[in-house]
Amino acid sequence: MYVVLTPSPSGSTVTRVDPSGRVAGSPTEVGNGELEDFVRRLSVESPRWTWTDTAVAYPPLLDAGVRIERCHDLRLCRAILRNSTLTAGSEVATAPRDELDGETPSAGSASAQTLFDVLPAGTAGDPVAELQRQLAAVAACAEPNRLRLLLAAESAGALAAAEMRHAGLPWNVDRHEALLEEQLGPRVPPGVRPARLEALAGEIRRALDAPQLNPDSPQEVLAALRGAGLNVQTTRSAELRRIEHPAIPPLLDYKKRSRLLTANGWNWLDTWVVGGRFSSDFLPGGVPSGRWAARGGGALQLPKQIRSAVLADPGWKLVVADAAQLEPRVLAAMSGDTAMAGAGRAGDLYEGIVATGAVPDRNSAKYAMLGAIYGATAGEGGRLLPKLAQAFPLAIGLVETAARAGEKGEAVSTRLGRSAPAAGPGWRDAQTLAVDSGLESPEQRRARSAARERGRFARNFVVQGTAAEWALCWLAELRRRLVPLTAEDGARPELVYFLHDEVLVHAPAEQVDAVADAVRAAARAAGRLLFGEFPIDFPLDVVIVDDYGQA
DNA sequence: ATTAACGGCGCG
DNA sequence: AAAGCGCGCCGTTAAT
């Protein structure tokens, strides 16, 4: 049963909707301040709470100590159904854009307020009507079960994201500050260059004979390097590493330490770590492929350098689990390539590929595989691709087919039906023009390059997107399995971090084994949800540690 | 003075 | 050690 919560002047209107979209009974009113109790009472029925934005509706409930089992996030589901080729032509896909399209309006932002006030409360703004349109679109499509799973997983992810923001990542400020002092020198106010960086800046200036040089300016650094007779195109570390010159070692050292200062220095600590927790916004569906994005503090880019500051509370542990070679395994399963699935059976998928004789060693297997998924044209990855295609025609065939579709501007879709839309008319016209004109013109080259780029995007989309679906199902299953692990004193394992193919659970020490079991069981369940009985393994690396740096 | 784009680098 | 894909955030620089 769906239970739709619609904001009303005095609180919320509650409407029950059955899975076929029919309204059951008459709507009731719940006053402000009574919603938490109401939700708690009704939770014995395991309703699917339905609202426009989990990120808006759920945090107040969490603050009141209320957890939700299941939900339907109308905004996230709208985004999927708008683009999915499975629901093309449905009412929800063809309706004019309204306030449910696009990002969650952030609370307090002026534009959000005015938008909300100005838009008429027509059917577009009615959550019940929207739910009915969404259910109808799914019911009428060719793969309703896949889409239902995707919408449920996306919505469960939204719950997990809100809970992770609520819990925060346990962060030890003392450890972090010790690390900063060791790498940069004593703390300095914002805008002042720390001692260690100042010393390195001096070395760089002397070595390049450029006393005024600002090492933070790529332009100035490039000019100074050229002034010293070095033939360089950029100031990227990867390029500089190939050069022999006294200025290079201090410059690389400067870049590394300066990055620590600007990305995760004292300023970051003051801004993002409150009460021993790093809390940031996770944005489910933030990436077209279905991966999450994050906003605030660079939560999905925590450098390995500082992960030792992620420290479990006394008496608690961190259970860190990541899925081994997730994307190639997903590709094997979605293409029905039993040979590649078999290569992953024993354990390491890349070693399994080596054992088939297709490639000479593990590194070759890895780069050839990644090359196939990303669309590498050069390097070792591109060179070994034919061998891989010979050994695993179904898997390689799937990404090649996606690439060809992308190059033609067609839509492509993941296993569960998330689609990257077809290219617009402008893009297609440019392609047609480029083909028709006989000469090798700049436009022609540009158009071909754009086509190849779109091909690489499409090739990657189907695999990355299906891997994201596996990860969402994993997360949803894990979240469910953690609930019964609550101890008598109320201490409960908490999901605190999710990074594409990796999860962190902060758990009381006596529960870590149960948590590790839950994480593994959830991975098995995710595999079955997506690929049924197809024989594919998704092995995990699971470690139980005090700090994330040990993982 | 504020905003947008760029170069660079962290993560998967 | 490597090139392909997807992101967010920093300081600098160019544009408004």
Side-chain angles (χ1 to χ4, degrees):
Chain A
M1 184 65 76
Y2 295 83
V3 175
V4 184
L5 298 180
T6 310
S8 72
S10 60
S12 303
T13 304
V14 180
T15 313
R16 291 165 176 265
V17 177
D18 72 20
S20 70
R22 263 188 297 275
V23 173
S26 33
T28 54
E29 279 291 317
V30 176
N32 283 321
E34 298 164 25
L35 188 63
E36 291 81 2
D37 269 342
F38 176 78
V39 169
R40 223 190 306 259
R41 276 202 310 280
L42 210 64
S43 66
V44 295
E45 295 179 30
S46 293
R48 196 172 283 284
W49 296 102
T50 303
W51 43 46
T52 55
D53 288 286
T54 306
V56 174
Y58 195 23
L61 294 172
L62 286 170
D63 289 339
V66 179
R67 300 256 164 172
I68 298 297
E69 189 181 330
R70 309 192 293 165
C71 83
H72 182 96
D73 187 300
L74 289 167
R75 183 183 302 278
L76 294 174
C77 295
R78 159 78 74 89
I80 290 170
L81 298 174
R82 259 238 189 268
N83 286 335
S84 178
T85 54
L86 287 171
T87 50
S90 68
E91 201 186 336
V92 69
T94 55
R97 293 181 62 85
D98 60 35
E99 71 272 18
L100 210 55
D101 292 291
E103 277 183 44
T104 303
S106 49
S109 99
S111 66
Q113 292 301 323
T114 52
L115 189 71
F116 189 77
D117 292 342
V118 165
L119 277 166
T123 51
D126 177 9
V128 174
E130 173 65 17
L131 175 65
Q132 290 169 328
R133 280 192 295 270
Q134 295 191 3
L135 292 175
V138 172
C141 85
E143 293 280 359
N145 289 336
R146 290 187 183 188
L147 266 187
R148 261 193 283 272
L149 174 57
L150 177 55
L151 300 189
E154 185 86 337
S155 298
L159 293 178
E163 288 162 2
M164 280 165 40
R165 147 119 236 175
H166 181 77
L169 189 58
W171 201 276
N172 188 289
V173 174
D174 291 340
R175 279 193 172 201
H176 191 160
E177 284 183 332
L179 196 93
L180 292 177
E181 180 143 355
E182 175 198 321
Q183 294 292 319
L184 302 170
R187 178 167 186 163
V188 290
V192 178
R193 190 174 274 141
R196 192 66 183 269
L197 288 182
E198 197 55 63
L200 286 165
E203 278 188 59
I204 298 162
R205 292 184 187 120
R206 280 192 295 279
L208 292 175
D209 196 20
Q212 301 300 317
L213 175 70
N214 173 10
D216 292 319
S217 164
Q219 252 175 35
E220 290 184 31
V221 171
L222 191 62
L225 290 170
R226 286 178 172 164
L230 296 171
N231 179 22
V232 282
Q233 309 310 312
T234 73
T235 66
R236 283 202 283 267
S237 295
E239 185 180 349
L240 297 185
R241 256 188 279 278
R242 291 193 279 266
I243 297 170
E244 284 273 348
H245 187 278
I248 299 301
L251 184 52
L252 290 172
D253 196 7
Y254 181 94
K255 281 168 167 283
K256 189 71 187 166
R257 292 175 201 267
S258 167
R259 168 77 192 186
L260 175 65
L261 172 70
T262 58
N264 300 100
W266 294 286
N267 205 25
W268 181 90
L269 208 40
D270 290 348
T271 308
W272 297 110
V273 179
V274 178
R277 294 288 188 269
F278 167 40
S279 294
S280 108
D281 280 326
F282 293 93
L283 308 175
V287 180
S289 67
R291 274 190 174 182
W292 288 13
R295 193 169 36 210
L300 299 184
Q301 300 123 266
L302 287 182
K304 298 206 160 127
Q305 215 180 355
I306 62 164
R307 290 186 179 184
S308 59
V310 180
L311 179 67
D313 290 348
W316 291 56
K317 295 277 183 184
L318 293 170
V319 180
V320 183
D322 77 280
Q325 305 107 31
L326 178 59
E327 292 193 354
R329 289 172 189 277
V330 161
L331 173 57
M334 67 192 294
S335 63
D337 196 317
T338 49
M340 184 172 283
R345 188 82 19 84
D348 188 287
L349 172 74
Y350 300 130
E351 290 294 2
I353 290 177
V354 174
T356 67
V359 294
D361 56 80
R362 188 179 187 279
N363 261 357
S364 304
K366 182 175 174 177
Y367 286 109
M369 235 8 268
L370 294 180
I373 293 171
Y374 293 154
T377 51
E380 182 148 2
R383 208 159 42 75
L384 287 168
L385 193 58
K387 298 290 267 181
L388 213 58
Q390 225 168 11
F392 310 107
L394 290 178
I396 304 305
L398 187 145
V399 284
E400 292 296 331
T401 301
R404 298 294 92 79
E407 286 170 7
K408 282 187 275 183
E410 295 168 0
V412 290
S413 300
T414 60
R415 174 76 170 195
L416 295 185
R418 193 188 304 261
S419 304
W427 193 91
R428 282 162 177 264
D429 290 349
Q431 291 297 318
T432 314
L433 230 64
V435 172
D436 289 350
S437 70
L439 282 164
E440 173 73 8
S441 62
E443 299 83 58
Q444 212 171 349
R445 269 197 301 277
R446 251 200 312 279
R448 258 208 296 274
S449 154
R452 280 194 301 269
E453 191 178 329
R454 217 170 176 290
R456 288 193 302 271
F457 167 77
R459 170 197 295 271
N460 185 251
F461 176 90
V462 296
V463 181
Q464 184 186 109
T466 305
E469 286 164 353
W470 181 91
L472 272 181
C473 290
W474 182 37
L475 194 64
E477 290 287 336
L478 172 59
R479 190 180 162 272
R480 218 159 54 72
R481 286 168 162 80
L482 290 181
V483 173
L485 298 185
T486 303
E488 280 184 25
D489 64 353
R492 63 191 306 159
E494 287 269 20
L495 262 165
V496 289
Y497 196 57
F498 172 57
L499 189 57
H500 309 314
D501 60 358
E502 183 173 352
V503 297
L504 256 73
V505 180
H506 187 218
E510 65 270 21
Q511 288 182 323
V512 290
D513 291 330
V515 169
D517 289 344
V519 170
R520 291 202 179 86
R524 285 191 293 273
R528 275 194 303 275
L529 279 172
L530 269 133
F531 305 115
E533 294 309 309
F534 183 81
I536 180 79
D537 292 333
F538 290 100
L540 305 178
D541 291 318
V542 185
V543 293
I544 294 158
V545 292
D546 291 308
D547 76 65
Y548 192 17
Q550 298 166 346

